[in-house]
Amino acid sequence: MKTRGLITHFVYKFKQKRAQIIFIYTNIMARGFIDCHCHLSADEFTQTYRKTHLNQTHQQDIDDVLLRAKRAGVKALVAVTEGASEFEKVILLSKTYPGFVFPCFGIHPLQGSGQDLHSVKIQDLEPFLPLFQKYRADIVAVSEIGLDFTPWFAKTTQERDEQIKVFIKQLEISKELDLPVNVHSRSAAKVTIDTMKELGIRQALLHNFAGKPSVAMEGVQAGFCFSFPPAVSKTEQRAKLIRQIPLEHICLETDSPALGIDKHIRNEPGNIMICCEYIAKIKGISSDAVMEVTTQNALRLFSKLKR
């Protein structure tokens, strides 16, 4: 009986200590920001240094970018991809900066660049499906995926249908891997939300959302979250939308290197405070309150960050 008592006491103390560690960890994370959508594997983080010692200078630039993010209070970065060429690069970043950079795999609804930018096709995804399985233990979300029905990119019904096909396939992957999705929805907000609801998606972040408030509320009712980059602070166009979405359904993002306050200057995760302060201003609450609630939202949505 004494032995059993000692064992019970030990187990109780162990559980108590473990709970304290988890509580401390959660509180530490709650005091910082989580950038829920950034493109650390984008070329814009290297283009200035292409002419000399690309690998070395790229590494140095990323070091500087992430150091500035940490100094700004960022505790975690959800690093998304737009195409399969970025998959292994974002995995390498996560291995280089463990516990800070968290990788995602996803095929964006628009592929290519510049004059070659075009609506996604299923063959942009299918050859790379095995990589989702290969790195399933590493990735924290399926992202960036979604729909982009901008008329000059998706001119035909066939192109829009093909986007939906690619989107649905990636939603199915997220369900199979039990991962959240991080979603693009330009000129297609309602179709995007309806498609996710039809497939039973429960964990989703609609990044840089610009749809109608009524459509956003359909997403809120489905349990989805929404995020807004620094660029939204330049105008009042999103004010009504941000005011209407409950804070418990809002996360922070930079979408860096894009969508900073100056389109001619590369955006960085260290600018996360800009969107935090703007949301606080719109809702009439403190920046600290926005930081704490949005960080808890992010930890709930991207559950692998807690590990």
Side-chain angles (χ1 to χ4, degrees), residues 228-241:
F228 304 93
V232 302
S233 66
K234 295 189 297 182
T235 71
E236 294 300 308
Q237 292 178 346
R238 309 281 181 93
K240 181 180 178 181
L241 178 64

Side-chain angles (χ1 to χ4, degrees), residues 22-49:
I22 293 171
F23 176 76
I24 291 168
Y25 172 79
T26 303
N27 278 349
I28 289 170
M29 291 293 285
R31 293 195 200 105
F33 300 104
I34 296 179
D35 186 346
C36 290
H37 189 103
C38 58
H39 298 262
L40 295 180
S41 52
D43 287 343
E44 287 85 346
F45 283 113
T46 67
Q47 64 183 8
T48 308
Y49 305 95

Side-chain angles (χ1 to χ4, degrees), residues 109-239:
L110 299 181
Q111 293 294 294
S113 60
Q115 297 296 318
D116 186 42
L117 197 61
H118 60 274
S119 188
V120 70
K121 298 178 175 61
I122 194 66
Q123 47 266 45
D124 294 316
L125 170 65
E126 283 184 336
F128 307 101
L129 291 176
L131 291 177
F132 286 87
Q133 291 293 340
K134 180 180 178 180
Y135 292 106
R136 63 184 299 164
D138 298 284
I139 57 177
V140 301
V142 176
S143 173
E144 177 180 358
I145 66 175
L147 301 173
D148 193 316
F149 289 172
T150 308
W152 47 90
F153 293 129
K155 302 181 183 71
T156 67
T157 301
Q158 182 179 354
E159 287 175 317
R160 293 189 288 273
D161 288 346
E162 189 81 356
Q163 278 195 25
I164 292 173
K165 185 177 180 181
V166 174
F167 184 39
I168 288 174
K169 181 61 180 176
Q170 293 185 97
L171 291 175
E172 290 172 345
I173 292 170
S174 77
K175 292 180 70 175
E176 181 183 346
L177 301 181
D178 192 24
L179 291 173
V181 290
N182 202 322
V183 180
H184 176 102
S185 58
R186 185 162 54 189
S187 300
K190 183 161 178 57
V191 180
T192 301
I193 288 175
D194 286 348
T195 303
M196 290 194 293
K197 287 167 63 177
E198 287 168 11
L199 267 74
I201 299 298
R202 299 189 183 281
Q203 298 292 317
L205 176 69
L206 288 113
H207 104 95
N208 189 30
F209 188 79
K212 296 178 180 178
S214 60
V215 176
M217 293 313 294
E218 292 180 26
V220 168
Q221 290 169 8
F224 304 155
C225 288
F226 299 79
S227 59
F228 304 93
V232 302
S233 66
K234 295 189 297 182
T235 71
E236 294 300 308
Q237 292 178 346
R238 309 281 181 93

Side-chain angles (χ1 to χ4, degrees), residues 35 38 40 45 65-66 69 72 74 77 254 256 267-272:
D35 186 346
C38 58
L40 295 180
F45 283 113
V65 167
L66 299 188
V74 178
L77 300 162
T254 60
S256 51
N267 190 19
E268 294 185 3
N271 293 327
I272 196 80

